[in-house]
Amino acid sequence: MSYPRFLGIGFDEPRHLEVRKPSYDVKEGSEVLTKEQVLASLQQSCPDALATFPAPEAFEVREYRPGQYALKVGFAVKKKSKKIGDLLWLDERDQPSTRYNNTVRENNAIRKQMGLYYSTTTDSSRNTYVKNARVIKGDGVFGRLNGSGMISPFSLNIKALLKFVLLYCGYATEYKTFENKGRDDGLMSLVRVLKTFAKHATTAEEDVASTPEDGNGAPNGSDEEGEVFATDDSDEASVNRNESKRKETMGAEVDEGAPAKKIRVC
């Protein structure tokens, strides 16, 4: 039975909200590789990029729960002002959030299948804030994935890099591959991100050697896979200025945000 539309009781056909699905649909793959297997494969496919990758001591990892580890990746960036915010740690978790309306929840559930979860030093969740801000300011390796250091927090490259670093530093014993759109990614994303890092790390060293006085001259960020967001020059300059101020005024606060026993260096 159908009702007249003006009565507001029912409709001839159900109405549905349009859901804009992400460009990825990620789930666990079929391969489980040891550290030795991963390094051997990388040595064959991208030896030069692997040679430029920092030693395990360059990464900072904390144990947020017994046997569960998070990697320091950078800083939150406020969406409008582009100011540098909280220090961010990244780990893998499987539970999707159900706090949002249907449309956002469906997108969020798909995104969470990637298992990427951001938190602050004080264990405050930042996933929603990071998602809305669209970018984070990378630190260390994560700051060398494009010219600007501004990276997408949710991408296949970041997932692959997190899994590799935890394995590389001895906080994981295996590397589980993942599927994207029904195809096992294997080590493709990892090879891609290592090559990207090597490219921008080399460029950064050359820029420092040629123009050491230039602190705000990094080019806009982009990558061929479309997974890293770029910023315009004014946004990037604003981020760099605010980061300098943060280092002067907030450095001590960041260090004091979590118990020392929780902070570990590989």
Side-chain angles (χ1 to χ4, degrees):
M1 178 178 180
S2 62
Y3 297 90
R5 290 179 180 272
F6 65 85
L7 293 179
I9 299 175
F11 297 97
D12 292 334
E13 295 183 6
R15 299 175 64 189
H16 298 284
L17 293 174
E18 181 181 355
V19 177
R20 185 169 66 94
K21 293 188 177 182
S23 59
Y24 46 73
D25 185 2
V26 181
K27 61 181 180 179
E28 189 170 302
S30 58
E31 290 187 87
V32 178
L33 306 174
T34 65
K35 179 178 179 179
E36 291 72 22
Q37 289 174 321
V38 171
L39 292 177
S41 179
L42 295 176
Q43 187 62 43
Q44 289 185 345
S45 57
C46 57
D48 294 339
L50 182 61
T52 66
F53 202 68
E57 293 77 15
F59 298 94
E60 195 167 344
V61 178
R62 73 183 183 113
E63 187 176 27
Y64 65 94
R65 290 176 185 168
Q68 294 180 300
Y69 304 97
L71 173 66
K72 187 177 78 171
V73 295
F75 301 87
V77 178
K78 294 186 178 179
K79 185 174 183 180
K80 294 183 178 180
S81 67
K82 298 296 188 293
K83 290 183 178 179
I84 300 299
D86 294 327
L87 177 65
L88 294 174
W89 301 81
L90 176 62
D91 63 276
E92 289 190 281
R93 305 186 192 186
D94 297 327
Q95 293 297 324
S97 172
T98 58
R99 294 177 299 168
Y100 309 104
N101 63 54
N102 291 338
T103 301
V104 176
R105 185 168 66 243
E106 286 194 36
N107 282 345
N108 194 50
I110 293 174
R111 175 177 287 110
K112 291 293 185 61
Q113 284 181 323
M114 297 179 66
L116 301 180
Y117 188 89
Y118 290 85
S119 58
T120 66
T121 301
T122 55
D123 291 331
S124 174
S125 170
R126 278 292 181 272
N127 248 20
T128 304
Y129 175 79
V130 169
K131 174 176 66 67
N132 291 336
R134 297 181 63 216
V135 293
I136 64 176
K137 177 68 173 177
D139 183 63
V141 167
F142 292 87
R144 289 287 183 264
L145 299 183
N146 58 30
S148 68
M150 305 292 287
I151 60 176
S152 167
F154 298 102
S155 74
L156 300 180
N157 285 355
I158 298 300
K159 180 180 179 67
L161 185 55
L162 169 66
K163 293 165 76 71
F164 175 65
V165 170
L166 292 179
L167 180 75
Y168 183 59
C169 291
Y171 291 92
T173 58
E174 57 188 24
Y175 183 102
K176 293 182 179 180
T177 62
F178 50 86
E179 293 182 2
N180 180 32
K181 299 179 180 178
R183 182 182 66 183
D184 198 316
D185 186 271
L187 296 179
M188 289 174 56
S189 289
L190 180 56
V191 170
R192 182 168 62 241
V193 77
L194 291 184
K195 289 182 177 180
T196 301
F197 165 75
K199 169 186 170 183
H200 289 287
T202 301
T203 302
E205 290 176 0
E206 292 175 352
D207 290 343
V208 169
S210 59
T211 57
E213 73 284 355
D214 186 2
N216 289 323
N220 290 335
S222 64
D223 80 349
E224 292 77 5
E225 298 300 320
E227 294 176 351
V228 179
F229 290 94
T231 57
D232 61 31
D233 292 334
S234 60
D235 286 346
E236 184 181 336
S238 174
V239 168
N240 287 334
R241 286 194 299 270
N242 284 295
E243 184 182 25
S244 297
K245 293 179 180 178
R246 179 196 57 74
K247 288 180 178 179
E248 294 176 0
T249 61
M250 296 178 63
E253 181 179 347
V254 168
D255 291 337
E256 296 171 0
K261 65 179 181 180
K262 276 195 171 185
I263 307 298
R264 299 184 180 183
V265 176
C266 299

